[in-house]
Amino acid sequence: QVQLVESGGGSVQTGGSLRLSCGVSAFSYNSYCLGWFRQAPGKEREGVAAIDSLTRTRYADSVKGRFTISKDYEKNILYLQMNSLNPEDTGMYYCAAERTAWMSACTLGRDEYHSWGQGTQVTVSS
């Protein structure tokens, strides 16, 4: 059973940076999507960024140019580098994984992912 464990969250001021990590285990497929999602209090969980097995990436418009998703294939760790953070980025951040058909592009729809981590909190103060 796939296991996803997030870390790296914390509290920063506006303009600051954080790097989230997600350890991925028991997930060995040739074609997959790995994604980062976030959920602010009172809001629905939304997709932030995704990367597929061909290293194609996708970002939500709200984070383009500020966030970067990447994967260390040797260590099986998914990263989310977050720069120029603002209070609207506050929320619980989750990583997610899903096996996909060969060459299928990733989406940022939460219903497309069925394996989730427990989340790590990010708080950005003004």
Side-chain angles (χ1 to χ4, degrees):
Q1 180 145 353
V2 60
Q3 289 190 324
L4 305 167
V5 180
E6 303 95 334
S7 61
S11 297
V12 297
Q13 292 188 326
T14 295
S17 298
L18 283 172
R19 188 177 77 159
L20 305 183
S21 300
C22 175
V24 183
S25 59
F27 188 75
S28 299
Y29 299 106
N30 289 330
S31 184
Y32 57 82
C33 286
L34 297 172
W36 285 101
F37 292 75
R38 66 186 179 190
Q39 187 166 16
K43 294 188 176 181
E44 292 187 350
R45 191 172 299 187
E46 63 174 356
V48 174
I51 186 168
D52 66 20
S53 46
L54 300 177
T55 68
R56 296 174 298 185
T57 57
R58 175 165 290 189
Y59 296 93
D61 289 342
S62 59
V63 306
K64 281 181 182 177
R66 301 188 299 122
F67 289 13
T68 302
I69 188 171
S70 62
K71 184 176 185 288
D72 184 319
Y73 290 88
E74 282 193 15
K75 297 179 180 179
N76 277 334
I77 298 177
L78 179 70
Y79 297 104
L80 184 68
Q81 177 67 44
M82 305 187 296
N83 299 327
S84 302
L85 286 162
N86 59 64
E88 288 70 38
D89 296 316
T90 294
M92 186 71 77
Y93 281 69
Y94 301 89
C95 66
E98 185 64 27
R99 182 182 182 183
T100 61
W102 179 242
M103 294 187 69
S104 293
C106 296
T107 74
L108 296 179
R110 64 181 185 273
D111 293 338
E112 302 295 321
Y113 296 79
H114 297 91
S115 297
W116 295 86
Q118 293 301 305
T120 185
Q121 178 68 35
V122 171
T123 302
V124 185
S125 58
S126 58

